[in-house]
Amino acid sequence: MRQTTLFIADLHLNDSQPEIYQRFKSFIHDKAQDADSLYILGDLFEYYLGDDAITDVAQKVCDDLNNLTSKYQTKCYFMAGNRDFLLSSAFASAAGLIILEYPSIIVLDDEKLILTHGDELCTDDIEYQKIRQQLRSKKWQQWFLSLSLQERIAFANQARIKSQQHTQASKAEIMDVNQLAVVNLFKQHKTTLMLHGHTHRPAFHNFLIDNKQHHRMVVGDWHQQTSYIEHKNSNFQLSTY
Ligand code: MN
């Protein structure tokens, strides 16, 4: 019986970097086909501008995931990131994906595990949190999807440039999670395990809250490598290669 659960995030798949798609294909073949479940915790795509603007790579990924879920029976879950929050239920059902809200709680070995993309934990970045609130509102999303394709592409390009400038101008610690936000999320859900992406800082952080050991696991991005966390035999393992 298969008892392997995989977690990935921040692949940032796009048409100009076919090497990332190649890594994705290998990962599906080498790991995901034999796994029980695959959790994709956001930023699967560099951007997702609507179902009428689907990129070549997104179409291929949709077919691959459909194959993975139907032929290999791997259960696949998707939680939106800050790049692909417009990924629709139509795409999800074509790919066989089950959409998760953030944060989501799953149970592994009788332990509750908090899953999230992670951007909402970066509360030191006040400017970003303001934009995030706007982009995640239904009203803004409806307005954005009503724009022409040209306009949406122009907006996304502009947003990317601004985001790069903002990242370069900000102190490194501002772009990481805020420890108080992490503690609050743990307390809210009364558990000691959390797993997220977004920061592109793959690591396991172990620390005490109220004298109890807590674990925050961060999966890495795929820009230069493959990164995933695997849960198997009551053990979490981070692999980046
Ligand atoms: Mn992200």
Side-chain angles (χ1 to χ4, degrees), residues 10 12 42-43 81-83 117 119 198-200:
D10 303 298
H12 293 268
D43 291 356
N82 51 303
R83 302 288 192 141
H117 177 58
D119 57 327
H198 181 67
T199 58
H200 300 192

Side-chain angles (χ1 to χ4, degrees), residues 202-225:
F204 282 7
H205 302 274
N206 310 313
F207 47 89
L208 294 172
I209 304 172
D210 298 338
N211 284 321
K212 213 170 164 188
Q213 198 63 239
H214 285 61
H215 309 275
R216 179 171 68 88
M217 298 171 276
V218 189
V219 67
D221 67 278
W222 286 45
H223 283 299
Q224 310 287 342
Q225 75 226 334

Side-chain angles (χ1 to χ4, degrees), residues 78-92:
F78 173 82
M79 183 184 293
N82 51 303
R83 302 288 192 141
D84 50 12
F85 55 85
L86 289 172
L87 193 145
S88 66
S89 50
F91 181 97

Side-chain angles (χ1 to χ4, degrees), residues 13-44:
L13 285 157
N14 65 86
D15 285 347
S16 359
Q17 288 175 287
E19 67 278 12
I20 307 179
Y21 176 68
Q22 285 313 315
R23 286 198 279 277
F24 172 77
K25 279 290 266 190
S26 304
F27 178 76
I28 295 290
H29 180 263
D30 301 341
K31 298 296 299 181
Q33 284 178 5
D34 300 319
D36 186 47
S37 323
L38 169 67
Y39 287 84
I40 304 167
L41 298 177
D43 291 356
L44 173 60

Side-chain angles (χ1 to χ4, degrees), residues 10 31 41 45 48 51 73 77 86-87 98-99 104 116-117 124 140-141 144 147 179 182 211-212 218 226 229 233-234:
D10 303 298
K31 298 296 299 181
L41 298 177
F45 300 115
Y48 193 93
D51 292 339
Q73 307 279 310
Y77 301 87
L86 289 172
L87 193 145
I98 299 158
I99 294 203
S104 275
T116 189
H117 177 58
D124 292 329
W140 185 89
Q141 293 183 5
F144 185 74
L147 299 177
Q179 184 64 11
V182 169
N211 284 321
K212 213 170 164 188
V218 189
T226 298
I229 292 174
N233 305 325
S234 308

